[in-house]
Amino acid sequence: MRQKLQLKGDISLSQSAIQRRNSNQRQKSPIQGRRLFQSHVIQTPLSQQYGQTQQQLQQSQQQQFIQGRSHSQSNVVFNEEVPQKWPIIQLPFLKNTEPTIFFQYPPVCEDKRPLVNARPMTEEEIKKYQLTCKVLGSAPYKCVLTSFDWAGFKRIDEDDEDEDWNVQWGIGNKTTLRNMNRYQKINHFPGCWNMGRKDLLWINLSKFKRKYPKEYNFIPNTYLLQYDYDRFIMAQESAQKDTLWIKKPCADSRGRGITMVSKKSKVKKDKNFLIMDYIYNPHLINGLKYDLRVYVLISCFDPLRVYMYKDGLVRFATQKYSTNSKDLTKRYIHLTNFAVNKLSPNFVKNQNTQKDDEGSKWSHHAYRKKLDELGIDSRELFNRIKDVVLKTCIATEPFMLDSNAKSQEHRNGYFELYGFDVLIDENLKPWVLEVNVSPSLNSSSPLDKKIKTSLISDVLHLVGVPLWDKNNQKISSPPKYNQRNIKEIPNINTSNCLNKLSQNDFNMLIHTVEEVKRRGKNFSCVFPNPKTIHQYMDLFEFPRYNNKLIERFYQDRCNWLSRFN
Ligand code: ADP
C-alpha cells in the first residue's frame, strides 16, 4: 500500500522522492502473532527519513532558534496508513528531554491520532524496551486493555513480582510504591481519596469555603452526621416547610443508600452518612433532571497540572422532574445515576455513536449543541465548570501533597483520572456533587465505548510513558531538591535564567510544556494555563515554588527554554 506523506514545517519532499524512499524501506515484519501495519517499518533515523543529513537538520534547528519561532524539532506529520498494534515512539518537541510512547486510538474510537513527531519503533527497540502493563482486578475495563494493546503493550500477571512494568492501572500497595522508579507510572496518587470520598471532599472544600465564601459556593452545604448531627437537627427545625436535603453514604457510589430528606423526616446519627442541601431547581432538558460526568486528569500536584476532557457523558433521570412531596421517594425522578435509571421502564439505551443525543445518556458534544439551540452559551457554561473543577483541585492540593511528601522523587510517576459529577441548576450555575476516584469505565453502549476508549488512550498519551531499557538502564538516584528561594522568582528573566535556574527547574518546565503539547485535541489544559494562571494563584493555601516558577515563565513569554541546551 502506498504511503501518503504530508510534511509540515520547513522540510519539504517531492512526491517522487517520497515514493522512492517508501519502496526502499518496505519490509516484512518478523514479529509473529502481531498484526502489523500494512505499509512498512521505518528504521532509519528521523533526519535520513526526510532526505536530510544530520548537518542539515542541525542547521534547520538552529534556524528555528535564531528566528525565535520554536525550539522544537520540526513538526513532521505522517499522514500514512496507521500501523496496527505496533509500538510507536512519540519524539519530544523540545530539546533535552525524553521520548514517550505513542498511544494509537483503537478502531472503536473512529479516529486517528496524528503521527506528529512520532515514528514506529525498530524491532531492536521493541525487544529492548518491552512495553508492559499491569492491570489490576479480576474484571478490568475493556477500554483500558484495548488502549494498552493498541499501543503495543503486553499485559503481565497481577501477581508477577519479577517482571518490571511500565504502567500499573490500579492502586499501588506500599511495597509497589516503595519500589517504584522514575520510568514507571501508576494511575492513582497516594491519598487520592482526599477528593474521592464525599466526606473528605467536604472537609477539604469547606475549609476553603470559610476562607473564600464567594469563590467556593459551588458545593452544596453539607452535614457530616458524625460531627454535625446537632447542627443539622437545628437547621431542619428552623427550615421552611418545603426545604429538602439528600442523605448519602460517605463512601459509596451508584446511588446506593441515597434517600431524600424533608422537614418531617426523622434522621438518626450515623457516622457513615452525610446530608447535603438538595439542589431543588436543576436545569431540565425535556422536563428531565440530568447531571454531567466530567473527566478530569491530574498529572501532577507539584506543580499542579489539571486537564479537562472535552467530551463526557450527560446522564438523565427517566421520570419527569417534580419536587412534589408524594414524589420524594421516586429515585427515577431525583437521581441521575445510570446504575439507578437503567432499571427504569423509561430508560432508553443509545444504539449508535452518530446519534449521541438520543436515549438516557448523551455526549457532552450533543448536550452543547442542545444548549446552543436553546440559546444558552455552552462555552460560557463549560468555562464555569472548568473554574469549579480547578478550585476543587486547589482545595485538595495541600492534603494531596501531604500524602505525597515521601515520594517527591516520583512527582511525575502518578496520574489520576477523576470523574466529577456536576449538576447544573436553572440559573446555569454548576454544582460539584461529588468526585469519583475510579469513574466507571464500563461501556453499556457504542457511544460509551467510543468516549471511554478515546479517553483512556488520550490519558496515557498525555501523561507520557517514558522508554525504559529494563535490562540495561541504571535507575538513577532520585533528584536532590535544594533549598529554593521563592522570593527570587520575580527577578528571573530570559537573560539571567541560565544562572538562576537549576537543572530540576528546567526539567520541570520542559515536562510541563511537553505534556501540554501531547494533550491532543480532546483535553484542554485547565492549569497551568497561560491565560488564566494568574487569577488562581492567590487561592492556593501555600504559594509553591514550582507553580510560581511556571507563572513567571509564562509571564516572561516562555523564552527561557531556548537558552537551555
Ligand atoms: P453516588 O456516588 O451514589 O453516585 P452522588 O453524590 O453522585 O452519589 O449522587 C447521586 C445522584 O443524586 C446524583 O447524580 C444527582 O442526580 C443526585 N444528587 C446528589 N446530590 C444532590 C444534591 N445535592 N442536589 C440534587 N441532586 C443531588
Side-chain angles (χ1 to χ4, degrees):
M1 196 168 299
R2 188 133 294 168
Q3 193 186 38
K4 282 181 256 142
L5 187 74
Q6 188 198 341
L7 298 170
K8 257 199 202 162
D10 33 20
I11 301 165
S12 62
L13 214 60
S14 74
Q15 196 59 31
S16 58
I18 296 165
Q19 287 167 2
R20 243 191 345 266
R21 201 204 63 199
N22 287 350
S23 60
N24 290 340
Q25 288 177 340
R26 209 160 297 176
Q27 293 180 6
K28 272 193 196 143
S29 167
I31 296 203
Q32 291 174 351
R34 287 182 193 253
R35 188 157 168 229
L36 293 183
F37 52 112
Q38 292 123 9
S39 46
H40 57 258
V41 182
I42 299 168
Q43 289 193 325
T44 46
L46 206 66
S47 56
Q48 288 167 32
Q49 288 170 38
Y50 316 134
Q52 278 195 317
T53 61
Q54 277 297 340
Q55 203 186 354
Q56 282 168 327
L57 188 76
Q58 267 171 13
Q59 273 170 2
S60 83
Q61 279 176 351
Q62 269 167 12
Q63 199 81 32
Q64 288 179 12
F65 268 102
I66 295 160
Q67 291 170 355
R69 252 185 294 143
S70 107
H71 29 267
S72 71
Q73 299 180 15
S74 307
N75 282 353
V76 181
V77 182
F78 289 91
N79 189 5
E80 64 178 304
E81 191 61 35
V82 176
Q84 296 184 1
K85 302 190 180 181
W86 184 275
I88 299 176
I89 297 180
Q90 174 67 65
L91 298 162
F93 291 85
L94 302 174
K95 285 178 161 188
N96 294 306
T97 185
E98 300 173 320
T100 54
I101 301 302
F102 183 98
F103 279 77
Q104 281 190 68
Y105 286 125
V108 286
C109 303
E110 300 170 10
D111 199 1
K112 281 186 180 177
R113 191 182 306 287
L115 281 161
V116 181
N117 271 3
R119 64 165 180 85
M121 273 194 194
T122 61
E123 277 149 27
E124 291 87 76
E125 284 170 335
I126 290 178
K127 281 191 208 121
K128 185 165 148 191
Y129 295 120
Q130 294 178 31
L131 304 177
T132 49
C133 60
K134 208 178 227 192
V135 184
L136 308 188
S138 54
Y141 293 120
K142 185 107 191 283
C143 57
V144 174
L145 297 181
T146 321
S147 299
F148 278 122
D149 187 32
W150 274 76
F153 281 69
K154 189 183 97 187
R155 185 179 174 197
I156 60 170
D157 199 83
E158 191 171 323
D159 305 317
D160 189 342
E161 297 292 334
D162 300 327
E163 199 166 346
D164 284 319
W165 43 267
N166 296 77
V167 186
Q168 172 168 307
W169 194 274
I171 290 188
N173 58 30
K174 275 196 181 139
T175 325
T176 311
L177 299 185
R178 200 176 327 115
N179 297 334
M180 238 177 111
N181 69 55
R182 74 172 197 88
Y183 299 102
Q184 295 179 305
K185 297 242 174 212
I186 296 189
N187 76 323
H188 291 288
F189 286 93
C192 54
W193 296 106
N194 277 304
M195 218 190 276
R197 267 184 67 121
K198 295 180 180 71
D199 48 354
L200 296 182
L201 179 70
W202 170 249
I203 290 173
N204 294 336
L205 281 178
S206 56
K207 205 171 148 194
F208 275 68
K209 198 172 176 170
R210 279 195 296 276
K211 206 164 158 194
Y212 306 109
K214 273 204 190 127
E215 301 281 354
Y216 278 82
N217 65 353
F218 55 83
I219 177 145
N221 195 26
T222 301
Y223 305 85
L224 304 181
L225 289 183
Q226 181 173 14
Y227 309 109
D228 307 323
Y229 179 75
D230 294 340
R231 207 162 56 82
F232 172 70
I233 297 297
M234 271 165 58
Q236 193 186 27
E237 279 167 8
S238 58
Q240 291 188 342
K241 78 172 188 327
D242 49 0
T243 309
L244 294 173
W245 296 267
I246 187 165
K247 183 175 162 211
K248 316 182 197 181
C250 299
D252 211 337
S253 59
R254 301 172 181 206
R256 283 179 293 222
I258 297 188
T259 48
M260 299 290 294
V261 172
S262 70
K263 197 166 158 57
K264 289 190 201 140
S265 312
K266 290 258 173 298
V267 174
K268 282 199 198 127
K269 187 168 181 171
D270 185 336
K271 68 176 179 6
N272 298 317
F273 281 80
L274 56 79
I275 289 190
M276 207 182 230
D277 285 356
Y278 190 66
I279 309 299
Y280 65 92
N281 59 342
H283 184 252
L284 306 178
I285 289 184
N286 302 327
L288 299 171
K289 177 176 173 177
Y290 63 86
D291 77 350
L292 305 178
R293 166 56 54 87
V294 179
Y295 296 107
V296 174
L297 172 65
I298 302 189
S299 61
C300 191
F301 272 95
D302 184 20
L304 183 65
R305 292 200 293 257
V306 184
Y307 302 85
M308 192 167 112
Y309 208 56
K310 290 194 179 150
D311 214 342
L313 296 165
V314 185
R315 289 107 35 110
F316 284 89
T318 42
Q319 243 179 292
K320 297 266 176 201
Y321 188 67
S322 137
T323 46
N324 205 312
S325 57
K326 70 177 187 339
D327 292 328
L328 282 187
T329 52
K330 295 186 178 156
R331 290 161 69 80
Y332 300 149
I333 293 180
H334 293 284
L335 305 191
T336 51
N337 302 76
F338 166 70
V340 171
N341 286 285
K342 69 177 180 189
L343 306 172
S344 156
N346 297 339
F347 185 82
V348 181
K349 192 174 164 176
N350 177 284
Q351 306 285 1
N352 185 336
T353 55
Q354 300 307 314
K355 295 187 177 161
D356 52 359
D357 59 350
E358 278 185 8
S360 303
K361 240 191 218 183
W362 289 11
S363 70
H364 282 188
H365 174 252
Y367 171 66
R368 292 178 79 142
K369 219 167 110 200
K370 179 74 183 178
L371 291 184
D372 292 337
E373 274 167 32
L374 294 171
I376 295 170
D377 185 348
S378 62
R379 202 185 156 88
E380 167 61 21
L381 176 68
F382 274 81
N383 280 340
R384 284 186 206 161
I385 296 176
K386 268 186 205 160
D387 176 68
V388 298
V389 159
L390 178 54
K391 285 174 180 162
T392 306
C393 299
I394 291 175
T396 38
E397 182 250 24
F399 303 90
M400 291 305 302
L401 286 181
D402 246 13
S403 315
N404 277 281
K406 291 191 195 74
S407 53
Q408 167 71 311
E409 71 270 26
H410 297 320
R411 193 178 58 202
N412 296 310
Y414 309 108
F415 60 95
E416 188 96 40
L417 177 67
Y418 285 106
F420 276 63
D421 287 351
V422 178
L423 187 81
I424 310 296
D425 73 16
E426 64 183 5
N427 303 314
L428 303 174
K429 172 184 156 83
W431 293 87
V432 172
L433 297 183
E434 71 152 343
V435 181
N436 292 278
V437 159
S438 295
S440 165
L441 297 172
N442 272 329
S443 300
S444 63
S445 69
L447 177 66
D448 251 4
K449 209 185 242 176
K450 179 178 164 182
I451 293 179
K452 290 174 180 173
T453 313
S454 311
L455 169 70
I456 298 304
S457 176
D458 285 335
V459 164
L460 291 166
H461 189 79
L462 184 154
V463 297
V465 180
L467 299 178
W468 176 25
D469 178 357
K470 294 168 184 134
N471 296 321
N472 299 317
Q473 216 147 8
K474 230 179 108 224
I475 310 289
S476 53
S477 50
K480 296 238 173 345
Y481 288 88
N482 303 327
Q483 279 293 331
R484 300 167 303 177
N485 188 353
I486 202 165
K487 294 205 181 107
E488 263 293 294
I489 289 178
N491 304 325
I492 303 177
N493 56 42
T494 313
S495 12
N496 66 15
C497 63
L498 276 184
N499 297 332
K500 300 243 179 208
L501 298 182
S502 69
Q503 174 79 41
N504 284 334
D505 293 334
F506 272 112
N507 288 348
M508 185 278 291
L509 291 172
I510 289 173
H511 202 105
T512 303
V513 173
E514 283 287 328
E515 200 175 81
V516 169
K517 285 195 175 271
R518 286 193 304 266
R519 80 192 185 285
K521 63 182 189 319
N522 293 328
F523 269 116
S524 54
C525 179
V526 180
F527 193 87
N529 184 315
K531 288 189 192 142
T532 54
I533 186 167
H534 193 62
Q535 79 196 59
Y536 291 98
M537 291 304 279
D538 289 343
L539 290 180
F540 282 84
E541 186 167 11
F542 304 104
R544 309 266 179 209
Y545 181 88
N546 284 335
N547 292 334
K548 285 272 179 201
L549 191 61
I550 293 177
E551 186 193 25
R552 177 76 195 117
F553 170 66
Y554 284 154
Q555 226 176 26
D556 207 33
R557 296 167 193 263
C558 321
N559 279 331
W560 304 352
L561 299 182
S562 58
R563 307 290 318 269
F564 181 63
N565 227 325

